Amino acid sequence: MAAEQDPEGRAAARPLLTDLYQATMALGYWRAGRAQEAAEFELFFRRCPFGGAFALAAGLRDCVRFVRAFRLRDADVQFLASVLPPDTDPAFFQHLRALDCSGVTVRALPEGSLAFPGVPLLQVSGPLLVVQLLETPLLCLVSYASLIATNAARLRLIAGPEKRLLELGLRRAQGPDGGLTASTYSYLGGFDGSSNMLAGQLRGVPVAGTLAHSFITSFSGTEVPPDPMLAPAAGQGPRVDLAACVETWLERVCGHLGLGVQEPHRGERAAFVAYALAFPRAFQGLLDTYSVRRSGLPNFLAVALALEELGYQAVGVRLDSGDLLQQAQETRGVFRTVAAQFRVPWLESIPIAVSNNIDEEELARLAQKLVSVGGQPRMKLTEDPEKQTLPGSKAAFRLLGSDGALLLDVLQLAEEPPPQAGQELRVWPQGTQESCTVRPAHVEPLLRLWVQQGQLCEPLPSLAESRAFAQRSLSRLSPAHRRLEQPALYQVALSEKLRALVDRLSARGAL
Amino acid sequence: MAAEQDPEGRAAARPLLTDLYQATMALGYWRAGRAQEAAEFELFFRRCPFGGAFALAAGLRDCVRFVRAFRLRDADVQFLASVLPPDTDPAFFQHLRALDCSGVTVRALPEGSLAFPGVPLLQVSGPLLVVQLLETPLLCLVSYASLIATNAARLRLIAGPEKRLLELGLRRAQGPDGGLTASTYSYLGGFDGSSNMLAGQLRGVPVAGTLAHSFITSFSGTEVPPDPMLAPAAGQGPRVDLAACVETWLERVCGHLGLGVQEPHRGERAAFVAYALAFPRAFQGLLDTYSVRRSGLPNFLAVALALEELGYQAVGVRLDSGDLLQQAQETRGVFRTVAAQFRVPWLESIPIAVSNNIDEEELARLAQKLVSVGGQPRMKLTEDPEKQTLPGSKAAFRLLGSDGALLLDVLQLAEEPPPQAGQELRVWPQGTQESCTVRPAHVEPLLRLWVQQGQLCEPLPSLAESRAFAQRSLSRLSPAHRRLEQPALYQVALSEKLRALVDRLSARGAL
């Protein structure tokens, strides 16, 4: 299988993006005559991140791309030769040069699936040597993607379905691709978009953004725009000097608000005018550069009302510091009185966006009041997929009640027949010593076959499709499991046969 | 300036790796006739990360590469056109197509420099529009690199200069490049190497690694190696059946340790033998797959002593779970008695490496006892380079005493003459209301000119050179400032003129 053309124009992950010990172990297997032995590994986690009872599976598209393109180039093999012992058998490097994933099969939860502790996110099988080399890069591709998607899903649950949530974390990310990964998978997990343009260009994530404090502070107010004239929105009628019109409106706004007309910062106003000239249909005011109440708000209102005379509606404001909730409430109050005073009803309800270190707690405080929120997901990685305990190749099923609610997930041996809808089943919930019986109304297989012997088995859904799937999946989870703090734990159970195998191996000390 | 060939074969960061608002602001500046206006921005932080009193500057090499290669391709401009208003003046996009960094100048602390709050890590000047587009990617490239380098430097200070520190965090990183960044800059900050092979191949970071638990559990002990024969290290003499020799040694080791010969896991032993056959000169035992004391340790000793008969020295052991310190001490005790019993003196002091979630506290506990440590840097980003407060273009100097100790850093206006060695200087330490005088024996300019009008001014040091520079820089910092908890704060002071300008602007409400 030749390395396919990378649709992003760059290899997101390359074969040498792996721990050296994967290569030393590969040599160990090869020397032991085991390179072609059939092997399988699974990626799963033991505890849900962020103290919740669910995670979202993500990263599959990157894994599939990586597996299909996997091929060691000459330079890669030369590098390996430089870090392995000088007397390593040259036949080993010949073996590496010929290596690809044509013998590799990947099963996985579809992207956006609910994932629970112990249920594999990904099963990779194939020749031992190549499967070993894949382990670290696939872990790297799945761990952070799933973490960030889960974080986004939690923030979405807090905010409710209507609020706009934007990811703005690029400048704090772990380097360029850390940012790209975060932007992509926060969208998958339920955000509406990102500030990261590369995520828009490469992944189709909707992008958003207007202006920063630096834009505002760069204007002193003495600048003379080359062309302050703006045509009406409808295209009919003469062009108007927006800057002059704004000054007229400023007097009326300040009069209404009881402010001196000198109080609002003129550089800030010049910046708003410059932005409005460039984006008359998408004017947003960033209010907190100097003083929200005495400067940002009156300057915004003067520009918004001048634009309104020309038939343009401002799209909203943003607050980026201080007590976001209190300022947002005060700002909303001002919008209401100004809307009434100047008979501009749409102004009453324009979006107030907030940003700046918004975590779950702050979002919960804000969510009742605001329309749009920019959050930076926290980065606490709590998956622990390293130490595998359940033996053998497994299958996983989700059992549902007659109302479509999730009952529990069942892990069983791959060779067992799947659970049947309507039939009673005895299972052993993890972490307990007792079995229980369950009679599912519906049974869903969890792990789908995506790559078989190196070939893609079905097209991957688009990012937007996976995002919608994630929201549908979450909606089926009961409120007790969906709760973000001290949730009821969702049960994952073992089949009788798998449980018996675990018991046998434990008794022999093999686990 | 044409985009240069990326030496890594991939663009680590691309022009669209930026927040959308940088592009909307660019259009705002362009519409206001300010695209070519001279502008400068600085990246700095307000508080040192991790509660310390210093940070290390890092990321410059990625910034320089990014700036020199900066060029919007047609596809980039088309994407921008798709997210900006449809009636945007086409001349703006023409302007973008022609954009490069031939007018951009970069001053920065050399990589590995000590950095303190308020002192710019990076100063970027050039035409306003292009400088605005550079802000987010450069922030992204500097923030995490400096954070991870600082973290590594702190861990190095705890461990002392002799211990081996390895970064093993790839599988938990923020995607592929998050891992590459962490591996690169933890090396710069003082680690000895990384498990990440791509960091070795692309950045020259020394790589290390041996074997994982999965390698050990994949052996049952019933495997028959195709060739169990090993030649002596010196090359002279007959080849020996290593597996058979190990069984002989196992009996002697178990006898000495008071263990039954059946207790050590035979699969683990088979894995050790397989690894030793592949790496007779670099055999390391991972001891904690089953039981360190009853299995891992006797199996390791049997293989190490069999290898020793052939003239090979094992390179050490690794512990990856449980109470690392206690196990390491017990293991060292066993090595001592076995070394004496079997007259193998080198065994007494072979390295004991530990890994698994080692933070500063755990490292401090371990550092007195152990030789080699693998840590995963924590990821708490505490820089706050967003809200600039000190006006104008600045220069920065480090003042030193006659013994070479660091006295303080001085920020002043770019047009002021530099402080002179031996001359008294009045400065205003940040965060205080009083001035002080200082008479430096030496004065060092901090910000070096790296890129002027798009041209590289001097070759960038290699990563290893920067790493050495970082350690020299740290060694000049006094113990009180170097302390990791509740350190004495290192003073950064303003010159009289800069202080006066700040006062004037504050009085006018411009700050």
Side-chain angles (χ1 to χ4, degrees):
Chain A
M1 184 179 65
E4 64 184 338
Q5 183 70 37
D6 186 331
E8 298 188 3
R10 64 198 275 274
R14 289 159 42 160
L16 284 198
L17 186 87
T18 193
D19 293 309
L20 175 60
Y21 76 7
Q22 307 288 13
T24 55
M25 289 190 280
L27 175 56
Y29 288 132
W30 188 82
R31 178 71 173 77
R34 298 181 61 199
Q36 299 288 355
E37 197 178 298
E40 178 176 281
F41 74 90
E42 293 182 341
L43 302 187
F44 66 98
F45 56 90
R46 287 171 184 278
R47 276 186 305 278
C48 290
F50 312 113
F54 69 89
L56 286 188
L60 176 62
R61 70 193 60 240
D62 295 329
C63 291
V64 169
R65 184 187 306 126
F66 177 76
V67 166
R68 297 185 71 211
F70 182 90
R71 188 98 204 198
L72 290 163
R73 299 169 309 164
D74 281 348
D76 300 333
V77 176
Q78 280 161 22
F79 178 78
L80 277 168
S82 76
V83 296
L84 290 174
D87 53 358
T88 301
D89 188 341
F92 175 66
F93 299 111
Q94 289 302 333
H95 186 84
L96 292 183
R97 276 200 183 82
L99 212 61
D100 63 25
C101 284
S102 59
V104 171
T105 292
V106 178
R107 286 182 177 77
L109 300 184
E111 294 224 82
S113 295
L114 285 170
F116 299 105
V119 178
L121 301 168
L122 201 72
Q123 281 176 338
V124 180
S125 55
L128 178 56
L129 188 148
V130 68
V131 155
Q132 188 74 53
L133 291 177
L134 296 177
E135 189 195 42
T136 296
L138 296 188
L139 256 167
C140 179
L141 293 172
V142 165
S143 286
Y144 184 60
S146 297
L147 183 76
I148 212 78
T150 304
N151 183 276
R154 291 171 62 88
L155 291 166
R156 168 57 68 199
L157 284 171
I158 293 171
E162 302 299 332
K163 305 276 194 305
R164 280 195 84 205
L165 293 172
L166 301 174
E167 179 273 328
L168 316 174
L170 177 56
R171 49 187 67 199
R172 308 291 185 90
Q174 285 187 4
D177 189 69
L180 185 62
T181 306
S183 304
T184 303
Y185 291 102
S186 60
Y187 174 68
L188 186 146
F191 272 43
D192 292 292
S194 165
S195 64
N196 182 347
M197 285 206 288
L198 199 62
Q201 186 185 30
L202 299 183
R203 304 292 181 96
V205 174
V207 292
T210 51
L211 72 172
H213 295 111
S214 64
F215 185 83
I216 292 172
T217 57
S218 85
F219 284 82
S220 68
T222 59
E223 296 83 3
V224 180
D227 177 10
M229 306 302 283
L230 185 64
Q236 303 291 324
R239 305 207 312 157
V240 172
D241 182 331
L242 184 68
C245 187
V246 164
E247 295 303 316
T248 308
W249 271 106
L250 184 72
E251 285 188 34
R252 301 165 72 178
V253 167
C254 285
H256 172 67
L257 297 178
L259 294 169
V261 76
Q262 295 303 322
E263 289 187 74
H265 197 287
R266 57 190 293 223
E268 181 179 54
R269 195 158 61 254
F272 285 177
V273 169
Y275 196 84
L277 285 169
F279 295 91
R281 289 184 171 79
F283 174 60
Q284 190 193 52
L286 174 61
L287 301 189
D288 62 327
T289 304
Y290 301 106
S291 157
V292 173
R293 197 174 64 80
R294 309 180 79 81
S295 183
L297 198 44
N299 278 333
F300 167 78
L301 288 167
V303 176
L305 291 166
L307 284 173
E308 138 81 20
E309 268 198 17
L310 289 165
Y312 298 101
Q313 283 192 13
V315 299
V317 297
R318 180 162 73 98
L319 298 162
D320 187 46
S321 61
D323 185 325
L324 299 172
L325 180 55
Q326 187 191 341
Q327 291 183 97
Q329 289 172 323
E330 288 172 9
T331 300
R332 179 65 70 208
V334 171
F335 286 162
R336 289 205 179 101
T337 72
V338 171
Q341 171 74 20
F342 300 109
R343 303 196 181 166
V344 186
W346 58 263
L347 185 61
E348 193 173 329
S349 55
I350 62 168
I352 299 174
V354 296
S355 53
N356 196 22
N357 291 326
I358 295 171
D359 59 14
E360 291 188 358
E361 195 180 338
E362 177 71 0
L363 181 60
R365 208 170 72 91
L366 292 166
Q368 306 308 316
K369 309 288 180 184
L370 303 173
V371 174
S372 176
V373 180
Q376 187 191 18
R378 285 187 295 183
M379 298 160 193
K380 192 178 166 205
L381 192 59
T382 53
E383 290 102 327
D384 176 16
E386 277 173 68
K387 297 176 186 73
Q388 188 168 334
T389 54
L390 292 178
S393 187
K394 291 183 290 297
F397 297 91
R398 186 154 292 163
L399 310 189
L400 299 97
S402 55
D403 57 354
L406 275 54
L407 300 177
L408 51 74
D409 287 3
V410 176
L411 295 174
Q412 57 182 45
L413 297 172
E415 65 262 28
E416 291 186 71
Q420 295 297 310
Q423 291 193 4
E424 195 172 83
L425 189 70
R426 175 167 300 275
V427 296
W428 297 77
Q430 287 189 315
T432 68
Q433 296 301 319
E434 292 186 8
S435 67
C436 65
T437 58
V438 56
R439 190 191 300 273
H442 310 280
V443 176
E444 295 177 358
L446 286 174
L447 295 161
R448 290 249 288 272
L449 184 63
W450 298 98
V451 175
Q452 187 164 36
Q453 302 295 316
Q455 299 298 313
L456 193 63
C457 300
E458 60 172 308
L460 290 167
S462 73
L463 188 60
E465 287 165 349
S466 295
R467 179 177 185 274
F469 179 70
Q471 292 305 312
R472 283 201 307 280
S473 302
L474 282 164
S475 71
R476 301 196 309 172
L477 195 59
S478 78
H481 296 123
R482 207 159 50 199
R483 202 163 57 213
L484 301 185
E485 288 180 31
Q486 305 193 313
L489 289 184
Y490 182 84
Q491 282 193 333
V492 176
L494 309 188
S495 70
E496 292 236 52
K497 283 194 175 160
L498 180 56
R499 166 77 184 198
L501 177 60
V502 170
D503 282 349
R504 271 204 310 282
L505 291 171
S506 300
R508 279 170 38 199
L511 287 186
Chain B
M1 187 179 64
E4 65 184 336
Q5 184 70 34
D6 184 331
E8 298 189 2
R10 63 198 276 272
R14 290 162 39 161
L16 285 198
L17 186 87
T18 192
D19 293 308
L20 176 59
Y21 76 7
Q22 308 289 14
T24 55
M25 289 190 280
L27 176 55
Y29 289 131
W30 188 83
R31 179 71 173 79
R34 299 182 60 201
Q36 299 288 355
E37 198 177 298
E40 178 176 282
F41 74 88
E42 292 181 340
L43 302 187
F44 67 98
F45 57 88
R46 287 171 184 278
R47 276 186 304 277
C48 289
F50 312 115
F54 70 88
L56 287 187
L60 177 62
R61 71 194 60 241
D62 294 330
C63 291
V64 168
R65 184 188 305 127
F66 177 76
V67 165
R68 296 185 70 210
F70 182 90
R71 188 99 202 199
L72 290 163
R73 300 169 308 164
D74 282 347
D76 299 334
V77 176
Q78 281 162 21
F79 179 77
L80 277 168
S82 76
V83 297
L84 290 174
D87 52 358
T88 301
D89 187 342
F92 174 67
F93 298 112
Q94 288 303 332
H95 186 84
L96 293 183
R97 275 198 183 83
L99 212 60
D100 62 24
C101 284
S102 59
V104 171
T105 291
V106 178
R107 287 181 176 77
L109 301 183
E111 294 222 85
S113 295
L114 286 170
F116 299 105
V119 177
L121 301 168
L122 201 73
Q123 282 177 336
V124 180
S125 55
L128 178 56
L129 188 148
V130 68
V131 155
Q132 187 73 55
L133 291 177
L134 297 177
E135 189 194 44
T136 296
L138 296 188
L139 256 167
C140 179
L141 293 171
V142 165
S143 287
Y144 185 60
S146 297
L147 183 76
I148 212 80
T150 304
N151 185 276
R154 291 171 61 87
L155 293 165
R156 168 57 67 200
L157 284 172
I158 293 171
E162 303 300 331
K163 306 275 193 304
R164 280 196 83 204
L165 292 172
L166 301 174
E167 180 272 328
L168 316 173
L170 178 56
R171 49 188 66 199
R172 308 292 185 90
Q174 287 187 4
D177 189 70
L180 185 61
T181 306
S183 304
T184 303
Y185 291 104
S186 59
Y187 174 68
L188 187 146
F191 273 42
D192 292 292
S194 166
S195 64
N196 182 347
M197 286 207 287
L198 199 62
Q201 186 184 31
L202 298 183
R203 305 292 181 95
V205 174
V207 293
T210 50
L211 73 171
H213 295 111
S214 64
F215 185 83
I216 293 171
T217 57
S218 84
F219 284 82
S220 68
T222 59
E223 296 82 4
V224 180
D227 177 11
M229 306 301 284
L230 185 64
Q236 302 291 325
R239 303 203 319 154
V240 171
D241 182 330
L242 184 68
C245 186
V246 163
E247 294 303 316
T248 308
W249 272 106
L250 184 71
E251 284 187 36
R252 301 165 71 178
V253 167
C254 285
H256 172 68
L257 297 178
L259 293 170
V261 76
Q262 294 304 320
E263 289 188 74
H265 197 286
R266 58 190 293 224
E268 182 180 53
R269 194 158 60 256
F272 286 176
V273 168
Y275 196 84
L277 285 169
F279 296 90
R281 290 183 170 79
F283 173 60
Q284 189 192 52
L286 174 61
L287 300 188
D288 62 327
T289 303
Y290 301 107
S291 157
V292 173
R293 197 173 64 79
R294 310 181 78 81
S295 183
L297 199 44
N299 278 332
F300 166 78
L301 287 166
V303 176
L305 291 165
L307 283 174
E308 139 82 19
E309 270 199 14
L310 289 164
Y312 299 100
Q313 282 193 14
V315 298
V317 297
R318 180 161 73 99
L319 298 162
D320 186 47
S321 62
D323 186 325
L324 299 172
L325 179 55
Q326 188 192 338
Q327 292 182 98
Q329 289 173 324
E330 288 172 9
T331 299
R332 178 66 69 209
V334 171
F335 285 163
R336 290 207 179 99
T337 72
V338 171
Q341 170 75 21
F342 299 109
R343 303 191 182 173
V344 187
W346 60 263
L347 185 62
E348 193 174 328
S349 57
I350 62 166
I352 300 173
V354 296
S355 53
N356 197 20
N357 291 324
I358 295 171
D359 59 15
E360 291 187 358
E361 195 181 338
E362 177 72 0
L363 181 60
R365 209 170 72 91
L366 292 166
Q368 306 309 316
K369 310 287 179 185
L370 302 172
V371 175
S372 176
V373 179
Q376 186 191 18
R378 284 186 296 183
M379 299 160 190
K380 190 175 165 204
L381 191 57
T382 55
E383 290 100 328
D384 175 16
E386 278 175 65
K387 296 177 186 73
Q388 187 168 336
T389 56
L390 293 178
S393 188
K394 290 183 289 300
F397 297 91
R398 186 154 293 164
L399 309 188
L400 299 96
S402 55
D403 57 351
L406 275 54
L407 300 177
L408 50 75
D409 286 5
V410 176
L411 294 175
Q412 57 181 45
L413 297 173
E415 65 261 29
E416 290 185 70
Q420 296 295 312
Q423 293 193 4
E424 194 172 83
L425 189 71
R426 175 167 299 278
V427 296
W428 297 78
Q430 286 189 318
T432 68
Q433 296 302 316
E434 291 184 8
S435 66
C436 65
T437 59
V438 57
R439 190 191 299 273
H442 308 280
V443 176
E444 294 178 357
L446 286 173
L447 295 161
R448 290 250 288 273
L449 184 63
W450 298 98
V451 175
Q452 187 164 35
Q453 301 295 317
Q455 300 298 314
L456 193 62
C457 301
E458 61 173 309
L460 289 167
S462 74
L463 188 61
E465 287 164 350
S466 295
R467 178 178 185 275
F469 179 70
Q471 293 304 313
R472 283 201 306 280
S473 302
L474 283 163
S475 71
R476 303 196 308 171
L477 195 60
S478 77
H481 296 124
R482 207 159 51 199
R483 201 162 58 212
L484 301 185
E485 287 181 31
Q486 306 194 311
L489 289 184
Y490 181 83
Q491 281 192 334
V492 176
L494 309 189
S495 71
E496 292 236 50
K497 283 195 175 161
L498 180 56
R499 166 78 182 198
L501 177 61
V502 169
D503 282 349
R504 273 204 309 283
L505 291 171
S506 299
R508 279 169 40 198
L511 288 185

